[in-house]
Amino acid sequence: MSKLAPIETRPLKMMSIDKPKIKTKNGLLLEIEACGVCRSNLHLIEGDWKKYGSPSQLPVVPGHEVVAIVKQIGSGVKNIRMGDRVGIQPLFSSCLECEYCAVGRENLCESAEITGESVQGGYAEYISALEEFVTPIPDNLDSEHAAPLFCPGITAYKAVKASEPTAGGTIGVFGIGGVGHLAIQIAKMQGARVVATSRAKKHLDLAKKLGADNVIVYQDSQEQFLKNLKKEEGLLDSAIVFAPSDKVIDAAIRSVKKGGIVVLGVLGNVSNFPTFEEKIVKGSVIGTRKDMADLVKLAANSDLKVVVETHKLAEANEVLARLKKSQVEARAVLVP
Ligand SMILES: [Zn+2]
Ligand SMILES: [Zn+2]
């Protein structure tokens, strides 16, 4: 992509570019098998994130949930071999030395590189990566279903962890798409009661199918929504928000009990914060390398269902246009 523009103008162009080169001893060159299509790719392409300095250069290849096969390795690579199948997440690299990296919170590193934004991403045939930041994928996970683990999956996993689930406690998941459909299942695995909320019936049906204990339609009248919630469930112990809306964030804060936890996995504003109810609002962004490895293990050893629809890479513009109109059930994946 050479120019930021609305997706309807088909800004993504197929072009031939040089294969990435291994630049460091820990570098890898990989052939891509699948890449998930993320709402943040859409924001990037349409220029919504120019104000945050992203992408840092043009042209850029978007895409940051990638499964690929290792084709070449740098001279210092120790733990990854030729032919390994690995996943690459949005956190392409971090400095590994700063105060965040030193305590295993490298997702907060100030000098992190982001796949598909500050370095070339996965809407391509080849990609480069660094040994320390890839996660091997067990044989029982196929590439198309494994790819979404590397952004929505890890985002869901970390947000559920941040919501401090307890057996028997009730967690509300606000927004059921690529991330929410996985958060429901991961929260269920922790023994929590899960209440899913979305505007779209299609998404609520999916939530039920994936094991949500109850679903409540989100509606513009916040009072009505809260009334329905209180009647059916009472207030929640915690809430996780994946719907990028200030109103939904506000509704989620009002939906939890005093002292309850609200985890925000999206950008948005907190208004009317009820200070004297001792609620806790936490931000959550992707996850660490350890979270990633833990999630891949969990996915391989459970019946976590990653709901995908697969398309050819050449259809990226159309797929993103459908995502913009909320026409994708859970996650679209592109294959070269
Ligand atoms: Zn993503
Ligand atoms: Zn760092």
Side-chain angles (χ1 to χ4, degrees), residues 7-179:
I7 198 67
E8 295 78 11
T9 64
R10 307 178 51 85
L12 297 174
K13 305 267 185 262
M14 279 290 220
M15 49 176 95
S16 41
I17 50 174
D18 291 339
K19 253 192 218 179
K21 291 198 174 55
I22 292 181
K23 293 189 195 121
T24 51
K25 281 183 173 176
N26 58 344
L28 309 168
L29 171 74
L30 311 99
E31 187 170 2
I32 294 173
E33 297 229 305
C35 179
V37 177
C38 184
R39 190 164 279 275
S40 38
N41 303 154
L42 186 64
H43 287 302
L44 177 90
I45 292 163
E46 296 200 317
D48 299 344
W49 286 357
K50 250 189 353 207
K51 54 183 182 253
Y52 309 119
S54 185
S56 55
Q57 86 259 6
L58 281 171
V60 68
V61 179
H64 60 215
E65 35 193 90
V66 186
V67 173
I69 307 278
V70 178
K71 292 289 173 181
Q72 274 178 37
I73 58 176
S75 59
V77 170
K78 291 186 202 80
N79 300 313
I80 298 288
R81 291 179 190 183
M82 298 279 280
D84 280 359
R85 196 169 54 120
V86 301
I88 303 164
Q89 61 138 319
L91 183 68
F92 180 87
S93 68
S94 71
C95 78
L96 297 177
E97 285 170 355
C98 70
E99 61 177 311
Y100 301 114
C101 288
V103 296
R105 299 185 77 183
E106 64 273 9
N107 57 321
L108 302 178
C109 177
E110 297 282 359
S111 34
E113 299 279 1
I114 304 298
T115 316
E117 294 179 26
S118 64
V119 294
Q120 304 299 1
Y123 288 18
E125 289 172 295
Y126 290 90
I127 190 168
S128 68
L130 303 178
E131 166 176 47
E132 294 87 346
F133 290 87
V134 299
T135 308
I137 297 173
D139 290 342
N140 68 339
L141 298 175
D142 71 60
S143 298
E144 286 153 36
H145 290 86
L149 296 176
F150 287 82
C151 175
I154 187 168
T155 301
Y157 182 79
K158 174 123 178 316
V160 170
K161 217 161 100 175
S163 76
E164 301 178 15
T166 55
T170 305
I171 299 184
V173 178
F174 289 69
I176 316 301
V179 190

Side-chain angles (χ1 to χ4, degrees), residues 203-215:
H203 287 157
L204 293 178
D205 290 345
L206 177 67
K208 258 190 238 163
K209 219 164 68 188
L210 296 173
D213 296 287
N214 195 0
V215 298

Side-chain angles (χ1 to χ4, degrees), residues 259-277:
I261 296 172
V262 179
V263 179
L264 306 182
V266 286
L267 288 172
N269 297 305
V270 174
S271 52
N272 311 320
F273 184 69
T275 307
F276 295 148
E277 294 182 8

